[in-house]
Amino acid sequence: DYTLDLVRHLADTIRGGRVHMPLGDQHVYHIAGLLSRHFICAHHGIAALHPGASCPSKQWPLEQFFILAQKLIEKYKMRVILIGDQSVQKSLEKKPFSHPSIHSYAGRFSLGQTLALIARSDILISNDSGPVHMAASVRTPCISLFGRNNPGISPRRWGPTGKNDIAIHKDIGCEVCLAHKCEKDFQCLKAITVEEVLAKAGKILDEK
């Protein structure tokens, strides 16, 4: 948006304005084969969960993601696929998700494969991180979880931009966010409940 504001000084009209990332056929075929091997068919709903982020101030507790995954499976019969980088995989090794309908591919997808998986998903639920904007680029509804609210790092600036996307943030009264040096044990993130995220997800899934 900031860049387009600069361009508007040079052009009379701006076409589009939405992020777009092209899907590679080879990545789409790869994801289709992977889902088939897990007996995930076209009629199965898929929830992609991304529990990773570059800073602890962006990371909703991993245990909450697991509880959320279980409830998505129980209530909506979803298949849950975890995505992320090697750091997410290392975290999962310490606290593994154990459920037959939860499949972890953290640290195993390329960027193109991640995009293809998000495109195939019915919803992405993610920390404040890159996959949120990948979801917007392929029109997959997204819920993004935020722990920071200073103007330059807030959901208003970095939140998802899709039509039905949702950003969740809890204001606990911090005048200045200290990010990874938080002195309140990231209570803003811990204040986001599984029930709230599930309710928001339900609103999206019920409209699909």
Side-chain angles (χ1 to χ4, degrees), residues 13-196:
T13 60
I14 301 294
R15 295 181 182 177
R18 293 196 62 174
V19 174
H20 171 70
M21 294 179 69
L23 286 168
D25 289 342
Q26 71 275 28
H27 301 135
V28 173
Y29 295 146
H30 177 86
I31 294 301
L34 180 148
L35 296 178
S36 178
R37 290 192 293 275
H38 285 300
F39 302 102
I40 300 175
C41 305
H43 67 276
H44 287 133
I46 296 176
L49 269 56
H50 179 248
S54 60
C55 177
S57 64
K58 297 182 177 185
Q59 295 172 7
W60 197 43
L62 189 58
E63 294 83 358
Q64 299 291 75
F65 272 103
F66 182 45
I67 297 170
L68 175 65
Q70 290 178 307
K71 290 185 177 295
L72 286 168
I73 293 166
E74 294 166 4
K75 187 170 184 178
Y76 294 100
K77 311 303 179 187
M78 305 293 287
R79 302 299 191 270
V80 174
I81 298 182
L82 306 175
I83 59 175
D85 60 13
Q86 290 292 342
S87 65
V88 173
Q89 178 56 29
K90 290 179 180 178
S91 296
L92 293 173
E93 289 172 357
K94 297 176 182 177
K95 299 179 180 179
F97 283 47
S98 180
H99 193 289
S101 292
I102 299 177
H103 309 279
S104 176
Y105 277 83
R108 298 170 62 182
F109 282 162
S110 68
L111 189 65
Q113 291 165 353
T114 299
L115 184 66
L117 185 279
I118 292 173
R120 170 61 180 82
S121 300
D122 295 274
I123 189 171
L124 170 73
I125 302 174
S126 172
N127 290 323
D128 170 22
S129 190
V132 169
H133 309 295
M134 295 170 70
S137 78
V138 291
R139 311 301 187 261
T140 294
C142 172
I143 296 175
S144 182
L145 311 176
F146 277 81
R148 311 192 296 180
N149 200 32
N150 287 5
I153 53 179
S154 70
R156 181 177 179 183
R157 179 172 182 179
W158 296 108
T161 59
K163 179 180 178 181
N164 298 315
D165 292 350
I166 297 170
I168 300 177
H169 171 265
K170 297 294 185 181
D171 187 349
I172 61 167
C174 297
E175 294 184 7
V176 177
C177 177
L178 300 179
H180 64 282
K181 296 181 180 179
C182 177
E183 297 176 350
K184 295 186 178 182
D185 194 29
F186 307 112
Q187 289 301 318
C188 54
L189 284 165
K190 294 178 179 179
I192 299 173
T193 67
V194 170
E195 289 72 22
E196 180 179 9

Side-chain angles (χ1 to χ4, degrees), residues 46 72 76 78 122-123 200-208:
I46 296 176
L72 286 168
Y76 294 100
M78 305 293 287
D122 295 274
I123 189 171
K200 299 291 187 183
K203 183 178 179 181
I204 290 172
L205 294 170
D206 290 342
E207 291 178 355
K208 289 185 68 67

